[in-house]
Amino acid sequence: TDDKEYVGFATLPNQVHRKSVKKGFDFTLMVAGESGLGKSTLVNSLFLTDLYRDRKLLSAEERIMQTVEITKHAVDIEEKGVRLRLTIVDTPGFGDAVNNTECWRPVAEYIDQQFEQYFRDESGLNRKNIQDNRVHCCLYFISPYGHGLRPLDVEFMKALHQRVNIVPILAKADTLTPPEVDRKKRKIREEIEHFGIKIYQFPDCDSDEDEDFKLQDQALKESIPFAVIGSNTVVEARGRRVRGRHYPWGIVEVENPGHCDFVKLRTMLVRTHMQDLKDVTRETHYENYRAQCIQSMTRLVVKERNRKDRSRNR
């Protein structure tokens, strides 16, 4: 009797899963912040890749003269049969000049260009293989050497918070003591609220989620901004080989939650919220851009029609 009452649409999730795995996933991550805050090291640590092999390091004089440019690094990662096409968008030159007025503009323009390209492809005739280059998340690196946010940080985040999911990062956390990390995090959170900056909001847990997931989600929310340390070198600590940094006073372990928030950031970015970051990009940021485009196109059409009517009535 059970077989007679069973239609079969309960297998739909499995069909979607198979199709998604076959197609593969893509994710575009932007890293922004001044030079020397460990952006490249952190990205390599997060995805266990070496994306910056051919990078040319600039002298202090060259850095001051350099303008903000946008560079892209794409890499295909495979894990347990699941393929991820990861694109890292870097912003070398950001915040390094003597005068950094509006140095966020090239970054904002780049994000808008990706929206524009996607909008054109979506409105075109052949919509089968649209390449999605929209920026799904921006890790914004905040210097550990200042007192909270600097005017440049506020300006950047306010200019971009309607365009992209911003996740603030407190860089080089190994230069701070644990009480200093807590103090700085609190100050940064207060200033984000005070300046009305809308950073990425973690979605609320569903009531049917298990308690462990709810606790993990709460811990992630309370960790903002993530205090991180990056390292691509393996060191020996208590008889174990770990990724970390060797100092005269001891070893800082990248993947030790007691030392920094690296594991929490990786969990959020890859294991629990990658799809939500993509959904928010599609449903909120891109939709806002699309609505503006359609409004301005409609306005132009109405203007043109009115002009023709007036010339006809003369």
Side-chain angles (χ1 to χ4, degrees):
T1 58
D2 283 355
D3 277 359
K4 282 180 183 173
E5 288 169 12
Y6 177 69
V7 177
F9 53 78
T11 63
L12 273 172
N14 299 344
Q15 293 175 39
V16 172
H17 173 77
R18 269 200 309 275
K19 201 172 176 185
S20 299
V21 168
K22 203 172 172 185
K23 191 180 170 195
F25 299 87
D26 46 41
F27 188 72
T28 302
L29 177 69
M30 177 181 269
V31 285
E34 62 186 58
S35 299
L37 292 180
K39 299 190 295 294
S40 317
T41 309
L42 183 77
V43 166
N44 285 340
S45 307
L46 278 170
F47 297 99
L48 300 177
T49 54
D50 188 6
L51 284 168
Y52 296 88
R53 224 172 286 125
D54 311 321
R55 187 170 65 143
K56 178 177 165 279
L57 291 171
L58 302 177
S59 67
E61 195 177 332
E62 285 172 318
R63 277 218 304 267
I64 288 169
M65 300 304 287
Q66 188 189 19
T67 53
V68 181
E69 56 174 320
I70 307 288
T71 60
K72 271 168 74 171
H73 306 267
V75 63
D76 287 309
I77 308 170
E78 191 162 329
E79 184 180 83
K80 293 182 181 174
V82 177
R83 279 179 305 120
L84 173 70
R85 182 165 178 72
L86 175 72
T87 306
I88 301 293
V89 179
D90 204 349
T91 55
F94 175 83
D96 292 340
V98 175
N99 180 5
N100 289 308
T101 312
E102 294 201 341
C103 68
W104 49 265
R105 201 171 281 284
V107 183
E109 282 169 3
Y110 176 83
I111 293 170
D112 284 348
Q113 278 163 15
Q114 306 319 303
F115 282 157
E116 187 188 346
Q117 187 58 52
Y118 193 86
F119 181 64
R120 277 193 191 156
D121 292 348
E122 200 184 40
S123 312
L125 289 171
N126 182 13
R127 307 198 308 173
K128 204 167 182 187
N129 298 312
I130 297 178
Q131 181 83 41
D132 185 5
N133 290 317
R134 294 172 296 184
V135 180
H136 300 120
C137 177
C138 172
L139 297 183
Y140 184 70
F141 286 68
I142 297 162
S143 170
Y145 311 121
H147 299 283
L149 298 176
R150 298 164 309 160
L152 177 63
D153 301 330
V154 175
E155 206 179 318
F156 177 90
M157 289 196 270
K158 284 196 85 160
L160 269 79
H161 66 179
Q162 303 284 19
R163 291 178 165 97
V164 69
N165 296 310
I166 297 174
V167 175
I169 303 287
L170 180 57
K172 295 201 165 183
D174 48 344
T175 61
L176 305 166
T177 62
E180 283 175 332
V181 168
D182 291 342
R183 248 198 329 271
K184 280 198 194 299
K185 279 188 172 199
R186 231 182 0 259
K187 181 111 170 68
I188 290 166
R189 280 199 298 266
E190 283 166 10
E191 290 182 339
I192 282 172
E193 200 172 320
H194 171 72
F195 290 109
I197 298 164
K198 295 177 179 68
I199 57 170
Y200 170 63
Q201 292 297 312
F202 292 96
D204 292 327
C205 284
D206 294 330
S207 52
D208 59 348
E209 294 283 7
D210 61 21
E211 281 307 311
D212 285 352
F213 185 81
K214 285 180 181 172
L215 287 170
Q216 184 191 41
D217 197 61
Q218 191 56 35
L220 287 177
K221 286 175 183 172
E222 287 167 3
S223 298
I224 294 280
F226 294 103
V228 297
I229 301 157
S231 171
N232 300 318
T233 48
V234 175
V235 293
E236 190 110 356
R238 298 190 298 279
R240 290 181 306 119
R241 290 175 64 71
V242 294
R243 275 189 304 146
R245 292 179 176 270
H246 213 299
Y247 290 108
W249 42 263
I251 288 166
V252 175
E253 295 174 41
V254 168
E255 295 183 34
N256 183 335
H259 291 188
C260 73
D261 296 329
F262 175 83
V263 173
K264 284 178 184 165
L265 174 65
R266 187 179 60 193
T267 300
M268 186 280 291
L269 208 53
V270 183
R271 295 178 190 176
T272 57
H273 289 76
M274 184 180 269
Q275 191 55 49
D276 188 65
L277 287 160
K278 291 178 74 169
D279 291 345
V280 174
T281 301
R282 189 184 70 243
E283 294 162 14
T284 305
H285 300 303
Y286 174 65
E287 275 306 310
N288 290 343
Y289 175 84
R290 193 171 166 277
Q292 283 170 1
C293 280
I294 291 169
Q295 274 174 353
S296 52
M297 280 156 69
T298 311
R299 259 194 245 100
L300 281 172
V301 170
V302 170
K303 221 178 202 175
E304 186 62 23
R305 197 181 292 148
N306 292 342
R307 195 181 63 79
K308 279 180 180 171
D309 287 348
R310 276 201 303 272
S311 60
R312 208 178 287 132
N313 293 334
R314 274 176 193 165

